[in-house]
Amino acid sequence: MSCMVLRFGLAVFAVAAQADTLLDRGLALLADGRPGAAQTTLRKAVERDPESAPARNALGVALSRAGRWPEAIGEFQNALRIAPTHAEAQFNLGIALAAQRRHAEAAVAFGAVLELSPEFSDARTGLAAALRAATASASKKDGFLHGQDLAVTGLLPEELADHAAQLLRNGELGAAHAALAEALRQRPDFALARFLLGRRFELGGATEAALREYLEGSRLDPENVDFVLRYGSVLAQIEPEEGIAVLTQGLENAPSGPATGRDDPRTQAHFALGSAWARLGDRGRAESHFREARARRAQAHAREQALVHLNQGIARLNSGDPREAALALQRSVTLAPDVPEALHMLGVARSALHDWSAASESFQAALAARPADAYILTSYASALYRQGRTEQAVNLLEKALRIDPGRSDSLCLLAKVHRSLGRTHASNREVERARRAGACNVAEEP
Amino acid sequence: MPIRTLLPFAASAASLVVAAAGPGAPEWGVRFADVARDAGLTVATVYGGRTENRYILESTGCGAALCDLDNDGFLDLFLVNGDTLHPSPGRGGPSRLMINRGDGTFRDVTQRSGLDRVGWGQAVCAGDFDNDGFVDLFVTYWGTNVLYRNRGGGRFADITDSAGLALPGMQWSSGCSFVDFDRDGLLDLFYAHYTVMDFDQIPDSESGGCSYKGLTVACGPNGLPKTGSKLFRNRGDGRFTDVTERSGVSGAEPSYGLGVLATDFDGDSWPDVYVANDGEPSHLFWNNRDGTFTEDGLASGVATSMDGRTQAGMGVAAGDYDGDGRLDIFKTNFAEDLPNLYRNRGGRLFDEVTTAAGLGVNFRYLGWGCGMFDFDHDGHPDIFYVNGHVYPEIDRLPSSLGYRQAKVLYQNLNGNRFRDVSRLAGEAVQRPAAARGAAFGDIDNDGDIDIVVNPVNAVPELLRNDAQELGNWLQVKLVGKRSNRSAIGARVLCSAGGRRQVREVRSGGSYYSQNDLRLHFGLGGAGAVDVLEIRWPSGQVDRIQGLQANQILAVEEGGQTGARTVSGRGR
């Protein structure tokens, strides 16, 4: 930071080519380090010519030097009202806003400088610092990010996009815009930045501009379902048929597996397409999409319900109530028959109820869904062992240990099985291995 | 040689802790002051845990009602109360009735009122179901709902059983509305259900494995049983008949219903019903005019976000924000999402215009109670909503939003776009609260709209509108004769200053709350109303011409008109 101060400090200079004017005299006083006298002189300059942007900018600098930031900001804004392309006033406004901790606004000001003068490197540095500071403030509010590095260096496009996303979430549209403009200046084909810029425009109510950016983002990354669905949905509000074409593309890109939750993009695509067709008056197509969407929602809901019952079953197992656990887990399995965790836990509950046969069925079903799970293999082996099917148990345990060689419960159980078969040497070997991996009491029941 | 004047960068390296207020925006004349304490509201609403909730039951909070329950011309206040699970249940006490003395203060008359039900209170809706001239109350619960018949004199009787409204088991009912869906002059009853709360079936936060941003939180509603809404028909003999099946209401997809709003969206004079669902497509029940409904929210464009996302709908309001004579819908949603503004384009179709209307700037709040009212009397309904997170545990994250959140106020600029004026409307608006219910109405009869906010585990807020330089206004209190006496469902068209505004008398709405049954019109500079047209639910149409502004006008169906002159603050 000190390096920056020095650089900018040297950047403050005035040229007294026309020392007879009030403005030049004021600038000379500023350069001499006499801000109070400069202020007086520059006020006279402004009084004489209220529409002089340089005079107002200079007065702003003098006021800043005196720590009168709010007044300085007013003068820089006055200068920009008179001369909207006055890059130096815009830059100074950014500095003054940052000094007032109005970092998001400062970022907007620095972004505007870069639009006026893309090679204004100090503005780029200022923008990076303001964005970091604005995001740090926002992050502090939200608690999602901590300990921002406030070193003043340039930001990469990915970092700028991250900042912009955070700023958008916090409603700082202007600062987000500045960050995204800079990201796109650095990398014009950065699809995420295009999409976020579209979002920024959309949040700000600029639908046409949003569509332009969404289109570009979708063109740059056509496989991105989020981009395409957003673009298609906004477009469908204005051009329904074109929007439907884009949404249909989004549906085709969406993963076709089972619906996993409320964020399932395929479900979303069906809902959006149904609404779009309904707006066009095609109830048949609309209903077809709504049916698909509802079916996927029902699928997701069944999985969500299954998860509730699974958690309830585990809680019951932990509280020593295997009977209630088995009931909850059976409900979970009925709702989502292919979830290995629920099948496994149902086997565990049934084992605790000494219903070895039913437990084995559950473990087999769990292994069908997840064959290489050492935990399930071990649980199943335990059930087989209790049924006297020791050789099968040994096979499963050896398989489990090939997957997870250090698994202590597998080793321990294998030791017990060996011992039950009179294989003392093998048993001792496994006990030793189990001891190295964790505690193992061979005398205990598995 | 060009003159170059640049500032050094040093000053900007100052502390980076606090973001300053936004850029200097044009001022707004409306200011709200929280006068709850001075008005006598000092008792905290109890609901769930203060620092953590183990079950979703502890998160939904309570509504509030602003309506004249003793017929003295001033709005009284009914504050629904809840309960606790930990450290022990039964700490909530009954909901409270506060009678407006007319001098800016309220008197707590709960104890002798007969409003003695305790438990997990949820929503309240009001309407004179027996047409005896006194507004009755229906309060939903996790447990058994209660119908309180207003006997007058601030006394109520619990007639739930005799009315046939006591259902077996522990129902979790949510938003409610009295609605004369068959237009027979008797108020029927519609209410939604959230989910089934069975402690034996739902794991608590510790065992449920549910998390939010890394925090262990109460589970649900995802994965919990979905349910449907209920409709009860008023037989006119003090009893209600369950017509949920017969009316087609049961045909809707089961869901997690919260806010309920009954109003005539398609302008056919038959009330429709909108239900904000949590995490599922919201429902819009279109009235088929034959005693049945068809749920068609998806095709109508009001069930999901514009891009097909299901959202966590909470509160719902209706108003004609764009002045086209059709009622639009505003709905609040979960955190890190926007609310929805659905523009009614006619033909039972809506467009989502949230961002296009300028409502895209507040992304972080978790919204609940909401209203579309003309706070600044310019003739365009503004939007106000209250916020608060569902998880008290969120405070463990270093978040300035946290469990308690600021309110949001949008000024309707021109019937087309809104401006966020939350920071211009007084400290009371910005002060964070774990808000849930919000009811809107003119508590001091000064012509403008005030707000009561019912938070969880805090004293309610009474936000008095202290605007000074407002435009003119008119309030209309309707009394039905052939129509239901509360005139719920009546539509009023107010023509003044070259513009025509539409309002409708509604029961329920916002989040779990009841707004003033009187209708409020901001008239801007118009000193008089050219024509006031009242379309009663009975079909009767009354027209009144040449009304002075700045008065509260009582209108009886097909007959008398009486003005209550008040010290209005219109110009």
Side-chain angles (χ1 to χ4, degrees), chain B residues 155-174:
Chain B
R155 309 259 177 163
F156 290 78
D158 177 348
I159 60 160
T160 316
D161 285 334
S162 65
L165 292 170
L167 300 183
M170 298 292 281
Q171 312 277 330
W172 189 347
S173 305
S174 48

Side-chain angles (χ1 to χ4, degrees), chain A residues 12 140-141 262 297 311-312, chain B residues 200 208 222 280 398-400:
Chain A
V12 180
K140 197 176 175 69
K141 286 180 191 174
R262 70 172 65 183
R297 280 299 301 146
N311 287 330
Q312 189 190 15
Chain B
D200 290 335
N222 285 359
E280 294 291 325
S399 162
S400 73

Side-chain angles (χ1 to χ4, degrees), chain B residues 504-525:
Chain B
E504 203 170 284
V505 183
R506 283 193 284 267
S507 168
S510 180
Y511 176 74
Y512 282 9
S513 295
Q514 175 64 52
N515 301 325
D516 193 346
L517 289 166
R518 299 173 302 188
L519 300 177
H520 170 266
F521 296 90
L523 302 177

Side-chain angles (χ1 to χ4, degrees), chain A residues 17-139:
Chain A
Q18 298 171 300
D20 57 333
T21 69
L22 287 167
L23 171 59
D24 292 340
R25 260 185 278 155
L27 290 170
L29 288 165
L30 263 181
D32 285 348
R34 298 169 62 193
Q39 228 183 92
T40 307
T41 306
L42 290 165
R43 276 195 198 284
K44 288 178 185 164
V46 167
E47 279 170 22
R48 184 162 298 177
D49 184 4
E51 293 302 300
S52 166
R56 289 201 176 271
N57 180 44
L59 177 57
V61 171
L63 288 163
S64 303
R65 288 289 176 78
R68 297 166 70 170
W69 295 105
E71 289 170 79
I73 288 168
E75 287 305 331
F76 295 136
Q77 287 170 333
N78 280 333
L80 288 165
R81 177 182 50 75
I82 297 159
T85 58
H86 196 311
E88 287 167 9
Q90 191 71 259
F91 176 82
N92 288 336
L93 177 62
I95 294 286
L97 288 166
Q100 290 286 284
R101 302 171 195 171
R102 293 161 67 172
H103 301 293
E105 294 166 75
V108 175
F110 289 129
V113 178
L114 290 170
E115 281 186 26
L116 293 167
S117 179
E119 301 310 314
F120 201 139
S121 61
D122 292 338
R124 183 157 308 114
T125 310
L127 172 62
L131 285 173
R132 282 200 165 104
T135 315
S137 294
S139 304

Side-chain angles (χ1 to χ4, degrees), chain B residues 44 134 143:
Chain B
F134 292 99

Side-chain angles (χ1 to χ4, degrees), chain B residues 132-214:
Chain B
D132 68 349
F134 292 99
V135 174
D136 310 295
L137 297 174
F138 183 72
V139 187
T140 62
Y141 278 83
W142 174 66
T144 303
N145 302 326
V146 56
L147 176 62
Y148 287 118
R149 182 175 166 269
N150 189 341
R151 298 158 56 200
R155 309 259 177 163
F156 290 78
D158 177 348
I159 60 160
T160 316
D161 285 334
S162 65
L165 292 170
L167 300 183
M170 298 292 281
Q171 312 277 330
W172 189 347
S173 305
S174 48
C176 63
S177 175
F178 282 105
V179 54
D180 183 7
F181 79 98
D182 51 5
R183 294 176 61 190
D184 64 352
L186 298 167
L187 285 174
D188 312 297
L189 188 56
F190 184 104
Y191 61 86
H193 277 122
Y194 189 44
T195 183
V196 176
M197 181 69 214
D198 179 347
F199 291 113
D200 290 335
Q201 299 295 322
I202 297 179
D204 67 11
S205 54
E206 283 174 22
S207 62
C210 296
S211 67
Y212 177 76
K213 295 189 186 298

